Amino acid sequence: MKKFIATTTKIFLISTMLLNAKVNACTRLVYHGPDNTVLTGRSMDFSINIPANLWIFPKGIERNGEVGPNSIRWRSKYGSVVASSWDIAAPDGMNEKGLVANLLWLVASEYPKFDYDGERPGLTIAAWAQYALDNFATVDEAVKFFEQEKFAVVSDFIPDTDKFTTVHLSLSDASGDSAIFEYISGKLKIHHDRSYKVMTNDPVYEQQLAIKSYWDTVSGQDFLPGTGKAADRFVRASYYLSVLPQTSDPKIAAASVFSVVRNVSVPYGIAIEGQPHLSNTRWRVVADQGNLIYYFENALTPNVVWVDFNKVNFEKNADVMKLALDKNQTYAGESSSYFIKSKPFKFKGLDSNPY
């Protein structure tokens, strides 16, 4: 009994020290199963309403970095399905090659300086994930490109709020490879390894790995931290992911990943005094990267809708399509036939020189 109390006290003290910083929500995890079964799940947790719509973008779309005349320009190589935020950003999505991109909040983010009239081009942070989906089939391709830092990622305040956007990017591909991209003190830090399967918010990813190394010494069957704070969610997601049944059945795999994402979600409407950054879950996604199925679940309309990529036209000059979900429209099951032709939304960037 004394040993149990001592162990529990040690866990509490270490957890308290690790969790002393302000945190935001969101959790991302990657499942590796038999027969090349790979799925990525995530929760979108935010302190204010963040309405989402689903979009189908074909290949061949011309885009720019939306930061004025000094913006990068590109034409999408791959089609994708994305979940938008306010139809000004794409924080989540999967492309036709099975590459998944997720943006999660990271308070510690600090991006490189951008000269509006300078020579180095820029990319709005609202399109950071979309740029990866448009241009890369694998994590390795993306890592080799991003480490060259050919452009600056440019952030700004979310419209009509005092929230300056500070996020990090995770990528996973159909092989199960994984990478996390963070800008710390203006420098890009890349963590690239297929073992990096779980990611939350603050602290920076290097410290998240340190937290995991400690909790790996504690049996999850005996004790797991249960709060909604980022480090606790990281520990729970890591443990449950490690003990999920190994299956290549797509329905069981998707259900298993959803069950872990729900376990680390923050109950809707939760507000804790003194914890303004602890945010409830708004929506969840599971992306099946082998079977190319993108599942989406809204907390306010808890029916899972999904898009089977085999039923989508991603060819060049195909229509951009939208499934409106931002007013709690209700769908269930495979919903590609409910998408309607739409003009693509414009990524929020810099409308003018801010300096």
Side-chain angles (χ1 to χ4, degrees):
M1 183 66 178
K2 289 182 178 179
K3 183 178 180 181
F4 173 78
I5 294 174
T7 301
T8 303
T9 301
K10 183 178 180 182
I11 290 170
F12 173 78
L13 291 174
I14 292 176
S15 297
T16 300
M17 289 185 290
L18 291 171
L19 297 173
N20 197 36
K22 291 182 178 180
V23 294
N24 288 275
C26 294
T27 307
R28 167 267 200 185
L29 54 98
V30 182
Y31 171 83
H32 294 166
D35 303 321
N36 299 315
T37 300
V38 177
L39 295 90
T40 296
R42 67 87 51 86
S43 63
M44 168 59 81
D45 307 347
F46 215 65
S47 58
I48 60 176
N49 186 32
I50 184 168
N53 294 311
L54 295 184
W55 291 81
I56 296 171
F57 290 131
K59 66 184 70 174
I61 295 179
E62 293 188 6
R63 304 191 195 272
N64 73 83
E66 300 294 353
V67 289
N70 197 17
S71 297
I72 63 169
R73 297 184 180 277
W74 74 96
R75 182 190 297 270
S76 60
K77 290 175 60 178
Y78 305 110
S80 60
V81 173
V82 306
S84 67
S85 292
W86 301 287
D87 280 353
I88 61 171
D92 196 272
M94 178 168 69
N95 71 17
E96 60 183 309
K97 295 298 182 180
L99 183 77
V100 169
N102 322 101
L103 291 179
L104 281 70
W105 206 262
L106 177 64
V107 171
S109 299
E110 184 179 341
Y111 305 100
K113 293 182 179 179
F114 172 68
D115 185 348
Y116 189 85
D117 299 310
E119 295 182 358
R120 189 186 186 195
L123 169 70
T124 173
I125 199 166
W128 191 14
Q130 188 68 58
Y131 184 90
L133 296 175
D134 284 352
N135 288 285
F136 308 115
T138 68
V139 168
D140 191 59
E141 287 179 21
V143 168
K144 289 177 179 177
F145 176 83
F146 281 131
E147 64 187 2
Q148 300 175 59
E149 296 193 68
K150 293 184 176 182
F151 55 76
V153 173
V154 184
S155 191
D156 199 0
F157 289 91
I158 296 174
D160 303 318
T161 77
D162 61 354
K163 295 179 181 295
F164 189 80
T165 305
T166 54
V167 294
H168 48 176
L169 170 68
S170 70
L171 297 178
S172 58
D173 64 27
S175 76
D177 199 6
S178 180
I180 289 88
F181 304 79
E182 299 178 337
Y183 281 96
I184 308 300
S185 300
K187 304 288 186 180
L188 178 62
K189 178 68 174 178
I190 302 175
H191 301 270
H192 179 201
D193 196 286
R194 66 181 282 116
S195 67
Y196 297 155
K197 295 184 284 188
V198 178
M199 165 181 159
T200 54
N201 315 104
D202 291 82
V204 297
Y205 197 68
E206 185 174 352
Q207 294 176 31
Q208 292 185 35
L209 294 176
I211 293 171
K212 182 179 184 300
S213 67
Y214 169 76
W215 280 98
D216 282 345
T217 67
V218 180
S219 172
Q221 294 181 352
D222 297 328
F223 187 92
L224 282 174
T227 79
K229 294 180 179 179
D232 284 9
R233 288 183 281 107
F234 186 96
V235 173
R236 292 204 307 281
S238 297
Y239 170 71
Y240 286 121
L241 186 63
S242 71
V243 297
L244 281 180
Q246 288 287 288
T247 180
S248 58
D249 184 311
K251 290 184 178 180
I252 295 177
S256 298
V257 175
F258 257 123
S259 69
V260 178
V261 177
R262 290 171 183 140
N263 179 277
V264 296
S265 294
V266 180
Y268 196 87
I270 287 290
I272 299 177
E273 186 176 355
Q275 296 285 341
H277 295 278
L278 186 59
S279 309
N280 48 223
T281 298
R282 305 289 176 169
W283 45 262
R284 305 174 186 89
V285 162
V286 169
D288 184 334
Q289 291 153 269
N291 295 296
L292 294 176
I293 302 174
Y294 189 77
Y295 299 90
F296 181 91
E297 179 185 64
N298 191 322
L300 291 179
T301 53
N303 297 306
V304 177
V305 301
W306 60 87
V307 180
D308 183 342
F309 281 31
N310 294 307
K311 298 182 179 181
V312 173
N313 183 4
F314 288 118
E315 292 305 308
K316 184 179 178 181
N317 297 322
D319 293 328
V320 172
M321 307 291 285
K322 174 183 177 180
L323 183 67
L325 301 171
D326 55 346
K327 293 182 173 61
N328 301 324
Q329 297 93 327
T330 303
Y331 301 90
E334 208 291 315
S335 300
S336 58
S337 63
Y338 295 110
F339 281 69
I340 63 172
K341 180 180 177 181
S342 300
K343 181 180 178 181
F345 67 83
K346 181 180 179 181
F347 287 92
K348 178 68 175 69
L350 300 180
D351 295 325
S352 60
N353 191 339
Y355 305 107

